[in-house]
């Protein structure tokens, strides 16, 4: 059974800092791994998707890496801004498209 | 293009009442999902439908039933609501290539 864990559960940083969010998964037989952003009271927005054959994906100030052998993914946010404040969730697809399993999320607060 | 639409957005039920959450997507996606989100627990998969006419149990199916009415619609029914089913419910869909999953805005359900 796939289990996805995110560390830390919460993070508070001053504006401008570079930061790393961690995601680990127990079953390395994943199809892909995705990072999402969730604003309070809202649904989820997909940020980055890394296919199992890839090592990383980049979008603007965001960079996500994937190491299947160690069961880990990281989301790097460069030069954080108050607008980055949200909950970030990772999720792995395994067993085809049938099992998208989420971590509990990291709640990020970036203060001016 | 509305994406994934869920109704209702808010609902209060009494214990033992029944209700159906509706979900529709207009992106011609094959796979659809129902998740529930509880504080500190991320999203947990209730049921999913890999294609029209098929449904399968996820991680937490007890107390729920689903119906894939057609390719567009996937409904979630609570036959006899319990306080433990107080949660935020998200519907999602994904295309065959599995590149990105799209979420609805969520349905806030309170069972008293």
């Amino acid at each position: 059974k796939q289990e996805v864990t995110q560390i830390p559960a919460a993070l508070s940083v001053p504006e401008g800092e570079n930061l790393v969010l961690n995601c680990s998964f127990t079953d390395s037989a994943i199809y892909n791994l995705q990072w999402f952003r969730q604003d309070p009271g809202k649904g989820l927005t997909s940020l980055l998707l890394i296919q199992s054959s890839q090592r990383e994906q980049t979008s603007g100030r965001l960079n996500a890496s994937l190491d299947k052998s160690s069961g880990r993914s990281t989301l790097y946010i460069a030069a954080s801004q108050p607008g980055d404040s949200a909950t970030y969730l990772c999720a792995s697809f395994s067993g085809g498209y049938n099992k998208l399993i989420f971590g509990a999320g990291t709640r990020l607060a970036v203060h001016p | 293009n509305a994406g994934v639409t869920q109704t209702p957005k808010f609902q209060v039920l009494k214990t033992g009442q029944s209700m159906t959450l509706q979900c529709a997507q207009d992106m011609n996606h094959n796979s659809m999902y129902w998740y529930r989100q509880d504080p500190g627990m991320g999203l947990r998969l209730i049921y999913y439908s890999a294609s029209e006419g098929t449904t399968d149990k996820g991680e937490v199916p007890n107390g729920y039933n689903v119906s894939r009415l057609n390719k567009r619609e996937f409904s979630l029914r609570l036959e006899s609501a319990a306080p433990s089913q107080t949660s935020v419910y998200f519907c999602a869909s994904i295309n065959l290539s599995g590149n990105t999953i799209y979420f609805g805005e969520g349905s806030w359900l309170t069972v008293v």
Side-chain angles (χ1 to χ4, degrees):
Chain A
K1 176 187 174 185
Q2 178 73 285
E3 293 181 4
V4 179
T5 305
Q6 292 188 246
I7 295 173
L11 186 61
S12 180
V13 300
E15 182 177 6
E17 272 203 9
N18 302 324
L19 53 98
V20 175
L21 307 182
N22 297 294
C23 172
S24 61
F25 46 94
T26 55
D27 183 358
S28 62
I30 61 172
Y31 184 75
N32 63 41
L33 188 132
Q34 302 189 42
W35 283 92
F36 297 85
R37 170 183 172 138
Q38 185 177 29
D39 293 293
K42 299 291 186 181
L44 281 73
T45 301
S46 181
L47 295 173
L48 289 165
L49 180 150
I50 313 174
Q51 300 289 358
S52 62
S53 57
Q54 299 175 320
R55 297 282 293 184
E56 65 178 342
Q57 283 286 334
T58 298
S59 176
R61 295 183 293 108
L62 305 179
N63 176 276
S65 66
L66 175 64
D67 184 343
K68 283 179 57 180
S69 62
S70 66
R72 293 181 180 181
S73 176
T74 60
L75 179 66
Y76 175 82
I77 302 177
S80 57
Q81 303 171 358
D84 295 330
S85 298
T87 296
Y88 291 81
L89 298 102
C90 69
S92 73
F93 247 136
S94 59
Y97 305 116
N98 300 332
K99 304 287 186 183
L100 183 62
I101 305 299
F102 283 83
T106 294
R107 190 171 63 256
L108 173 66
V110 181
H111 49 88
Chain B
N1 187 344
V4 179
T5 304
Q6 289 179 235
T7 57
K9 191 168 180 66
F10 300 99
Q11 183 74 47
V12 178
L13 287 177
K14 293 182 179 179
T15 297
Q17 285 186 320
S18 62
M19 77 158 298
T20 300
L21 299 176
Q22 307 285 354
C23 175
Q25 52 90 10
D26 60 3
M27 297 171 283
N28 201 37
H29 288 170
N30 288 291
S31 297
M32 298 184 72
Y33 304 81
W34 275 106
Y35 288 89
R36 60 177 289 173
Q37 185 176 33
D38 301 295
M41 298 189 71
L43 277 75
R44 292 182 292 169
L45 181 62
I46 306 172
Y47 269 94
Y48 63 94
S49 171
S51 61
E52 182 180 353
T54 68
T55 61
D56 286 285
K57 296 178 180 179
E59 302 169 89
V60 288
N62 292 343
Y64 305 95
N65 286 302
V66 291
S67 179
R68 184 74 182 267
L69 304 171
N70 46 55
K71 194 171 186 179
R72 289 188 65 248
E73 299 171 293
F74 187 38
S75 61
L76 178 71
R77 183 162 178 83
L78 287 70
E79 292 290 352
S80 179
S84 61
Q85 294 178 304
T86 294
S87 188
V88 183
Y89 291 85
F90 287 99
C91 178
S93 71
I94 192 167
N95 58 14
L96 267 179
S97 61
N99 285 332
T100 303
I101 187 166
Y102 294 85
F103 283 86
E105 288 286 303
S107 297
W108 273 254
L109 176 65
T110 300
V111 183
V112 297

